[in-house]
Amino acid sequence: IYMFEKRGDEFVLIKKSKDSIDKSDFENVMKSAHNFEVNLIPAIAGMGKSTLFTSLSQKIKNLNSKLWVIKIDLNSASPKLKTMNCQNMKFDDVVDFLHQMAKHDSELEKKMFKQYLQMGKVVLFLDAFDEICPNYKPVVIKIIKNIKENAKIKKIFISTRPHDSILIDLKISFTDISLNYYVIDPFTEDNRKE
Protein backbone atom coordinates (compact mmCIF):
# COMPACT_ATOMS: atom_id res chain seq x y z
CA ILE A 1 0.00 0.00 0.00
CA TYR A 2 1.31 3.43 -0.92
CA MET A 3 0.41 6.57 1.02
CA PHE A 4 0.52 9.91 -0.77
CA GLU A 5 0.01 13.41 0.55
CA LYS A 6 -1.20 16.38 -1.47
CA ARG A 7 1.41 19.16 -1.49
CA GLY A 8 0.32 22.05 -3.62
CA ASP A 9 -0.92 20.59 -6.90
CA GLU A 10 1.05 17.34 -6.63
CA PHE A 11 0.83 14.10 -4.68
CA VAL A 12 4.02 13.06 -2.90
CA LEU A 13 4.77 9.51 -1.73
CA ILE A 14 5.06 9.60 2.05
CA LYS A 15 5.09 5.89 2.90
CA LYS A 16 5.19 2.52 1.24
CA SER A 17 4.07 -0.54 3.16
CA LYS A 18 4.96 -3.95 1.75
CA ASP A 19 1.98 -5.95 2.95
CA SER A 20 -0.64 -3.92 4.75
CA ILE A 21 -1.30 -1.02 7.02
CA ASP A 22 -0.67 -1.99 10.65
CA LYS A 23 -2.01 -0.49 13.88
CA SER A 24 0.66 2.22 14.07
CA ASP A 25 -0.14 3.26 10.49
CA PHE A 26 -3.83 3.57 11.41
CA GLU A 27 -2.94 5.65 14.43
CA ASN A 28 -0.77 7.91 12.27
CA VAL A 29 -3.53 8.29 9.67
CA MET A 30 -6.02 9.19 12.40
CA LYS A 31 -3.65 11.63 14.14
CA SER A 32 -1.98 13.01 11.02
CA ALA A 33 -4.18 16.00 10.39
CA HIS A 34 -5.35 18.65 12.74
CA ASN A 35 -7.54 19.96 9.95
CA PHE A 36 -10.29 18.43 7.87
CA GLU A 37 -9.03 15.95 5.29
CA VAL A 38 -10.35 13.65 2.62
CA ASN A 39 -8.57 10.34 2.10
CA LEU A 40 -9.03 9.03 -1.42
CA ILE A 41 -8.52 5.34 -2.19
CA PRO A 42 -8.75 4.64 -5.92
CA ALA A 43 -8.39 1.09 -7.23
CA ILE A 44 -9.69 -0.99 -10.10
CA ALA A 45 -12.74 -3.23 -9.71
CA GLY A 46 -12.16 -6.30 -7.59
CA MET A 47 -9.17 -4.89 -5.67
CA GLY A 48 -11.02 -5.03 -2.35
CA LYS A 49 -11.90 -1.40 -1.71
CA SER A 50 -15.16 -2.27 0.07
CA THR A 51 -13.46 -4.99 2.09
CA LEU A 52 -10.67 -2.58 2.98
CA PHE A 53 -13.23 0.00 4.12
CA THR A 54 -14.99 -2.56 6.30
CA SER A 55 -11.66 -3.54 7.85
CA LEU A 56 -10.50 0.08 8.26
CA SER A 57 -13.77 1.12 9.88
CA GLN A 58 -13.56 -1.76 12.37
CA LYS A 59 -9.91 -1.07 13.19
CA ILE A 60 -10.53 2.64 13.68
CA LYS A 61 -13.47 1.86 15.96
CA ASN A 62 -11.27 -0.55 17.93
CA LEU A 63 -8.52 2.07 18.22
CA ASN A 64 -10.92 4.68 19.55
CA SER A 65 -14.32 3.53 20.80
CA LYS A 66 -15.32 7.16 21.33
CA LEU A 67 -15.56 7.72 17.58
CA TRP A 68 -18.75 7.27 15.58
CA VAL A 69 -17.64 5.40 12.46
CA ILE A 70 -20.01 5.26 9.48
CA LYS A 71 -19.51 3.33 6.24
CA ILE A 72 -21.91 4.24 3.44
CA ASP A 73 -22.26 2.37 0.16
CA LEU A 74 -23.01 5.33 -2.10
CA ASN A 75 -24.50 3.10 -4.77
CA SER A 76 -27.27 1.95 -2.42
CA ALA A 77 -27.64 5.55 -1.19
CA SER A 78 -28.58 6.73 -4.70
CA PRO A 79 -32.36 6.90 -4.02
CA LYS A 80 -31.74 9.25 -1.08
CA LEU A 81 -29.12 11.27 -2.98
CA LYS A 82 -31.68 11.74 -5.76
CA THR A 83 -34.01 13.58 -3.36
CA MET A 84 -31.38 15.98 -2.01
CA ASN A 85 -31.32 19.56 -3.25
CA CYS A 86 -27.73 20.44 -4.08
CA GLN A 87 -28.48 24.17 -4.38
CA ASN A 88 -30.13 24.69 -0.99
CA MET A 89 -28.50 21.96 1.08
CA LYS A 90 -28.44 22.70 4.80
CA PHE A 91 -26.40 21.00 7.49
CA ASP A 92 -29.57 19.38 8.89
CA ASP A 93 -30.13 17.80 5.44
CA VAL A 94 -26.65 16.29 5.65
CA VAL A 95 -27.29 15.05 9.19
CA ASP A 96 -30.59 13.49 8.02
CA PHE A 97 -28.83 11.80 5.10
CA LEU A 98 -26.02 10.38 7.24
CA HIS A 99 -28.50 9.40 9.96
CA GLN A 100 -30.63 7.45 7.47
CA MET A 101 -27.64 5.81 5.80
CA ALA A 102 -26.31 4.69 9.20
CA LYS A 103 -29.76 3.17 9.84
CA HIS A 104 -30.26 4.97 13.14
CA ASP A 105 -33.71 4.43 14.58
CA SER A 106 -34.46 7.21 17.00
CA GLU A 107 -34.43 10.96 17.28
CA LEU A 108 -32.15 10.58 20.31
CA GLU A 109 -29.55 8.79 18.16
CA LYS A 110 -29.89 11.53 15.56
CA LYS A 111 -29.30 14.27 18.17
CA MET A 112 -26.32 12.39 19.59
CA PHE A 113 -24.94 11.85 16.10
CA LYS A 114 -25.24 15.56 15.29
CA GLN A 115 -23.34 16.36 18.50
CA TYR A 116 -20.62 13.86 17.55
CA LEU A 117 -20.35 15.53 14.14
CA GLN A 118 -20.00 18.94 15.71
CA MET A 119 -17.40 17.66 18.21
CA GLY A 120 -15.31 16.05 15.44
CA LYS A 121 -15.87 12.51 16.68
CA VAL A 122 -17.11 11.01 13.40
CA VAL A 123 -15.11 9.15 10.77
CA LEU A 124 -16.95 8.74 7.49
CA PHE A 125 -16.35 6.13 4.79
CA LEU A 126 -17.99 6.78 1.41
CA ASP A 127 -17.65 3.66 -0.69
CA ALA A 128 -18.12 3.41 -4.48
CA PHE A 129 -17.96 7.09 -5.43
CA ASP A 130 -17.44 6.15 -9.07
CA GLU A 131 -20.73 4.23 -9.14
CA ILE A 132 -22.79 7.35 -8.43
CA CYS A 133 -20.99 9.48 -11.04
CA PRO A 134 -21.95 11.58 -12.88
CA ASN A 135 -25.54 11.83 -11.59
CA TYR A 136 -24.93 12.33 -7.86
CA LYS A 137 -21.30 13.44 -7.80
CA PRO A 138 -22.22 17.10 -7.21
CA VAL A 139 -24.51 16.11 -4.33
CA VAL A 140 -21.82 14.05 -2.58
CA ILE A 141 -19.23 16.79 -3.09
CA LYS A 142 -21.71 19.31 -1.64
CA ILE A 143 -22.30 16.98 1.35
CA ILE A 144 -18.55 16.81 2.01
CA LYS A 145 -18.13 20.57 1.71
CA ASN A 146 -21.14 21.11 3.98
CA ILE A 147 -19.56 18.83 6.59
CA LYS A 148 -16.32 20.79 6.34
CA GLU A 149 -18.13 24.08 6.85
CA ASN A 150 -20.47 23.00 9.66
CA ALA A 151 -18.88 20.16 11.60
CA LYS A 152 -15.54 19.42 13.17
CA ILE A 153 -15.23 16.01 11.55
CA LYS A 154 -11.61 15.35 10.62
CA LYS A 155 -11.61 12.27 8.42
CA ILE A 156 -13.55 11.22 5.36
CA PHE A 157 -12.44 8.23 3.30
CA ILE A 158 -13.65 7.86 -0.30
CA SER A 159 -13.20 4.79 -2.49
CA THR A 160 -13.46 5.00 -6.25
CA ARG A 161 -12.19 3.37 -9.38
CA PRO A 162 -9.19 5.27 -10.73
CA HIS A 163 -10.86 6.96 -13.69
CA ASP A 164 -8.83 10.04 -14.59
CA SER A 165 -11.94 12.20 -14.96
CA ILE A 166 -13.17 11.32 -11.46
CA LEU A 167 -9.78 11.88 -9.86
CA ILE A 168 -9.35 15.20 -11.64
CA ASP A 169 -12.88 16.28 -10.64
CA LEU A 170 -12.18 15.42 -7.00
CA LYS A 171 -8.86 17.26 -7.07
CA ILE A 172 -10.55 20.33 -8.57
CA SER A 173 -13.54 20.12 -6.21
CA PHE A 174 -11.37 19.94 -3.12
CA THR A 175 -8.78 22.62 -3.76
CA ASP A 176 -9.48 24.04 -0.30
CA ILE A 177 -9.44 20.64 1.42
CA SER A 178 -6.47 18.48 2.35
CA LEU A 179 -6.63 15.48 0.01
CA ASN A 180 -4.57 12.37 0.76
CA TYR A 181 -4.23 9.70 -1.87
CA TYR A 182 -3.70 5.98 -1.10
CA VAL A 183 -3.01 3.36 -3.77
CA ILE A 184 -3.70 -0.34 -3.29
CA ASP A 185 -1.15 -2.61 -4.94
CA PRO A 186 -2.61 -5.65 -6.72
CA PHE A 187 -1.77 -9.08 -5.38
CA THR A 188 1.32 -10.70 -6.83
CA GLU A 189 1.26 -14.31 -7.91
CA ASP A 190 2.87 -15.24 -4.54
CA ASN A 191 0.16 -13.30 -2.65
CA ARG A 192 -2.54 -15.23 -4.50
CA LYS A 193 -0.91 -18.55 -3.56
CA GLU A 194 -0.87 -17.54 0.12
Side-chain angles (χ1 to χ4, degrees), residues 14-182:
I14 57 172
K15 181 167 184 175
K16 179 180 177 181
S17 177
K18 291 182 181 171
D19 298 315
S20 64
I21 297 176
D22 61 23
K23 184 176 178 178
S24 65
D25 291 326
F26 280 115
E27 291 168 347
N28 290 336
V29 167
M30 293 310 296
K31 292 177 185 174
S32 66
H34 301 290
N35 299 317
F36 180 86
E37 70 178 18
V38 173
N39 298 285
L40 185 62
I41 302 176
I44 61 173
M47 288 290 290
K49 296 179 295 293
S50 297
T51 303
L52 176 65
F53 271 20
T54 300
S55 176
L56 277 172
S57 62
Q58 288 299 318
K59 288 185 180 189
I60 289 170
K61 188 67 177 167
N62 291 338
L63 284 171
N64 188 345
S65 61
K66 294 177 183 173
L67 292 174
W68 203 312
V69 181
I70 299 176
K71 178 181 174 259
I72 297 173
D73 173 10
L74 290 173
N75 199 26
S76 56
S78 292
K80 178 62 181 165
L81 292 169
K82 185 177 184 177
T83 67
M84 295 185 77
N85 183 340
C86 198
Q87 307 302 325
N88 299 317
M89 189 182 297
K90 296 176 179 56
F91 184 59
D92 284 340
D93 299 329
V94 172
V95 172
D96 287 343
F97 168 74
L98 296 174
H99 176 73
Q100 287 179 9
M101 294 300 101
K103 299 177 176 76
H104 298 148
D105 297 350
S106 69
E107 280 300 310
L108 177 60
E109 278 181 309
K110 184 177 177 180
K111 287 178 184 177
M112 287 176 55
F113 176 68
K114 187 174 182 178
Q115 282 185 323
Y116 268 66
L117 271 171
Q118 292 171 326
M119 294 185 310
K121 294 185 179 270
V122 175
V123 178
L124 183 59
F125 288 87
L126 301 175
D127 193 20
F129 183 79
D130 57 291
E131 293 181 31
I132 53 103
C133 288
N135 298 341
Y136 306 117
K137 176 182 67 174
V139 177
V140 173
I141 288 171
K142 182 71 172 179
I143 287 169
I144 293 168
K145 288 184 174 191
N146 197 302
I147 289 169
K148 179 185 185 281
E149 292 168 9
N150 297 294
K152 293 182 181 173
I153 187 171
K154 301 290 187 207
K155 305 286 180 193
I156 295 180
F157 293 84
I158 301 174
S159 75
T160 185
R161 291 185 185 146
H163 302 298
D164 287 341
S165 61
I166 292 173
L167 299 177
I168 290 168
D169 284 347
L170 286 170
K171 186 176 178 182
I172 291 169
S173 298
F174 297 133
T175 55
D176 61 334
I177 294 174
S178 176
L179 183 64
N180 297 320
Y181 189 79
Y182 298 82

